[in-house]
Amino acid sequence: MDGVAGLLGAGGHDLSLFTAADELQRALLRDTFDAVVVDKALPVTGGLAMVAWAAETLEAPPPVVIALPGDNKADMVRSLRSGASDVVAATDPGEIVVARIEAAARRARSSVPTERLRTLGPYVVDLLAESIALNDKPVKLTSKEFALARLFFDNLNRPLSRAYLFAHVWGPDYGVDTRTLDMHISRLRSKLVLSPDSGFALQTLFGFGYRMDAFDAEGRRIE
């Protein structure tokens, strides 16, 4: 999969490589990933165990793509029926493998609207103007605050790790400390008046990151 990793990196994707299943599991518990690829070096049963572990352990498991050493149809069917998002073979061209991994990640986020204006309760998010209005009144946000807010609104009820937030807002080579993120989160909560009463609240996940929760009119969290 070295060639695939190179193609993914060249395509602008931020990669983390693990040599053992337990390393990957520990990483999934502390960080957020848009997709996971289980390499052919792990037996198919190990790949299926990873799919089952993610579904049972993680609040919002990422799509898992299993890379098989060959194109054994029985293994492919078994993997898909066991919950894998997709299956690729070592004999597939690297460009096709990359495209299918990207497609699996997109399907997992297919509920994210792409239109310019998005209404979420009392909030209207303008993607083109990079602005947010609350109860029809514009909220003054910096570019980083808007990027953070959009990322949270695009990932409602999904835990986002600090590293994930840094990488997507400040870039993969971010040179800021955690206090910068905490400060931006505090400002977002204040400026957007985020609370169950307004339908959305930013929850701190200690030791991990943050999650934007959605609430109904009675203040109950919407799963």
Side-chain angles (χ1 to χ4, degrees):
M1 295 291 285
D2 289 343
V4 172
L7 289 171
L8 285 167
H13 299 287
D14 188 21
L15 305 179
S16 296
L17 302 179
F18 305 94
T19 57
D22 59 339
E23 291 180 8
L24 172 58
Q25 289 174 337
R26 288 195 294 270
L28 287 167
L29 289 172
R30 67 173 183 265
D31 207 345
T32 304
F33 296 90
D34 291 322
V36 171
V37 182
V38 179
D39 195 357
K40 59 183 182 295
L42 196 67
V44 63
T45 52
L48 300 185
M50 183 63 68
V51 172
W53 176 88
E56 294 171 1
T57 308
L58 303 177
E59 181 177 343
V64 178
V65 177
I66 296 181
L68 297 175
D71 58 355
N72 184 293
K73 300 299 188 293
D75 283 345
M76 290 183 173
V77 171
R78 182 183 178 191
S79 298
L80 292 170
R81 287 180 173 171
S82 297
S85 298
D86 202 350
V87 179
V88 295
T91 54
D92 292 337
E95 293 82 357
I96 291 178
V97 174
V98 168
R100 293 177 72 169
I101 294 170
E102 292 173 336
R106 284 196 304 272
R107 287 196 300 272
R109 302 183 68 247
S110 60
S111 61
V112 177
T114 56
E115 64 269 16
R116 172 180 173 174
L117 295 178
R118 183 182 182 192
T119 301
L120 299 122
Y123 304 96
V124 176
V125 181
D126 188 327
L127 300 183
L128 185 60
E130 296 191 349
S131 64
I132 297 178
L134 171 59
N135 294 321
D136 298 323
K137 296 180 179 179
V139 178
K140 188 176 182 180
L141 299 174
T142 67
S143 60
K144 290 291 189 292
E145 288 168 350
F146 175 82
L148 265 178
R150 178 182 178 181
L151 191 59
F152 281 120
F153 279 128
D154 283 350
N155 292 275
L156 291 174
N157 302 318
R158 180 188 180 195
L160 301 179
S161 70
R162 288 174 174 271
Y164 187 90
L165 294 169
F166 275 127
H168 282 72
V169 175
W170 280 270
D173 299 321
Y174 55 87
V176 292
D177 59 29
T178 58
R179 289 174 297 179
T180 298
L181 175 59
D182 295 337
M183 178 183 67
H184 280 73
I185 294 293
S186 177
R187 288 176 178 172
L188 271 187
R189 284 176 170 147
S190 177
K191 290 183 177 183
L192 296 179
V193 196
L194 293 168
S195 72
D197 290 339
S198 61
F200 301 92
L202 265 175
Q203 307 293 344
T204 300
L205 306 178
F206 293 101
F208 187 83
Y210 297 91
R211 183 186 64 222
M212 178 78 89
D213 288 340
F215 294 84
D216 62 18
E218 281 71 45
R220 295 170 300 198
R221 182 173 177 246
I222 301 173
E223 299 293 340

